[in-house]
Amino acid sequence: MLELSGLRKSFGGFGAVNGVSLSVERGRIAAVIGPNGAGKSTLFNLITGHLKPTEGRVVLRGEDITGAPPHRICRMGMGRSFQRTNIFPLLTVFENVQAALIAHRGHGRNFWARSARLYREETEELLASLGLLDKADVKAGELSHGNQKQVELGIALAGDPDILLLDEPTAGMSATETRETIALLKRIAEMRGLTLLFTEHDMEVVFSIAERIAVLHQGRIIAEGTPEAVQRDPEVRRVYLGERH
Ligand code: ADP
Ligand code: MG
């Protein structure tokens, strides 16, 4: 589904991503983990076109998308969410997801006459799958942080992606919200046959959902494999796990 080769990004003289090669198979749930400043968000921005790599290639379903603009990459079936929540706080939950559906599918010729009802069923269906239907009429900005991240997920899913990149999907969530969000992600990925690539700094979250894990340290992948293999890796234990104990 996704193939990265020799990806580099430097800011001035500083290498934030230093030659990352990684492939993600279709239908997999894969995680990129690493401490703060490891280069996770930068790597994701290189993949989704929000940053142009200094070197290297990004290939999506066999097609080279290196340096393509974000909207084009999005249209090719790559959805994403950001580390900082990105929603319209003054619109309702319904309107946020509906707007995303309209943006992706178009509004036909009759936009102004019917806008309030446009994609109503699809919007409600999507909200139901996220457990947000009872909050449809609430202003998104008034929701809990966890619910706001779920709305953002709804916005990403409105584009009907094949692969979804989530940058710290549980950042700032309570333990309960985190558990719920992980269960939700798992369910949605299975239901839609999605490929999921997410970053995370919380190891528990990662090991409860990821099938493959890549460990990023100072912009380099120091280990890649199953959760069990990564957990046993001495280099990983030294530079990453070691920092927390
Ligand atoms: P992570 O998401 O793993 O916490 P980031 O990708 O956000 O890491 O950052 C990796 C490194 O690159 C950090 O040292 C950060 O300060 C630096 N960095 C990120 N974006 C920029 C930028 N636009 N300009 C300069 N340095 C940056
Ligand atoms: Mg980050």
Side-chain angles (χ1 to χ4, degrees), residues 9-12 14-17 33-45 51 83 167-168 199 216 219:
K9 179 70 185 177
S10 43
F11 298 110
F14 174 75
V17 172
I33 67 170
N36 263 335
K40 304 182 295 296
S41 293
T42 304
L43 179 63
F44 270 31
N45 286 331
L51 283 174
Q83 187 168 353
D167 196 357
E168 303 210 17
T199 71
L216 200 61

Side-chain angles (χ1 to χ4, degrees), residues 50-155:
H50 291 82
L51 283 174
K52 285 194 200 313
T54 312
E55 245 181 73
R57 297 199 325 146
V58 182
V59 176
L60 176 66
R61 275 195 248 91
E63 199 166 329
D64 194 333
I65 59 164
T66 317
H71 65 270
R72 222 176 82 213
I73 295 177
C74 183
R75 293 236 177 262
M76 290 173 68
M78 184 184 287
R80 81 162 295 178
S81 77
F82 294 85
Q83 187 168 353
R84 287 173 56 195
T85 310
N86 209 2
I87 56 175
F88 294 112
L90 296 178
L91 295 187
T92 66
V93 169
F94 180 92
E95 289 163 342
N96 264 278
V97 172
Q98 181 196 35
L101 278 167
I102 293 171
H104 280 282
R105 299 191 191 176
H107 46 64
R109 274 174 293 167
N110 221 352
F111 179 60
W112 299 111
R114 303 183 301 130
S115 66
R117 303 184 56 83
L118 220 47
Y119 300 119
R120 183 166 169 183
E121 267 174 40
E122 292 91 334
T123 305
E124 285 177 351
E125 222 168 88
L126 197 45
L127 290 179
S129 74
L130 294 162
L132 283 173
L133 200 49
D134 60 328
K135 302 197 173 62
D137 297 326
V138 179
K139 283 202 172 67
E142 289 166 9
L143 294 174
S144 72
H145 178 68
N147 283 152
Q148 290 190 13
K149 294 299 266 190
Q150 287 166 353
V151 172
E152 203 185 14
L153 182 59
I155 291 170

Side-chain angles (χ1 to χ4, degrees), residues 134-208:
D134 60 328
K135 302 197 173 62
D137 297 326
V138 179
K139 283 202 172 67
E142 289 166 9
L143 294 174
S144 72
H145 178 68
N147 283 152
Q148 290 190 13
K149 294 299 266 190
Q150 287 166 353
V151 172
E152 203 185 14
L153 182 59
I155 291 170
L157 289 172
D160 199 19
D162 301 319
I163 178 168
L164 197 52
L165 272 75
L166 306 171
D167 196 357
E168 303 210 17
T170 67
M173 286 190 187
S174 69
T176 312
E177 284 178 334
T178 297
R179 261 199 312 279
E180 283 171 7
T181 302
I182 288 167
L184 178 68
L185 282 177
K186 225 170 174 165
R187 201 166 65 234
I188 286 178
E190 266 166 30
M191 220 168 65
R192 296 179 167 239
L194 270 177
T195 308
L196 212 58
L197 181 63
F198 69 104
T199 71
E200 190 53 74
H201 63 266
D202 183 334
M203 294 293 271
E204 254 174 73
V205 169
V206 172
F207 284 101
S208 64

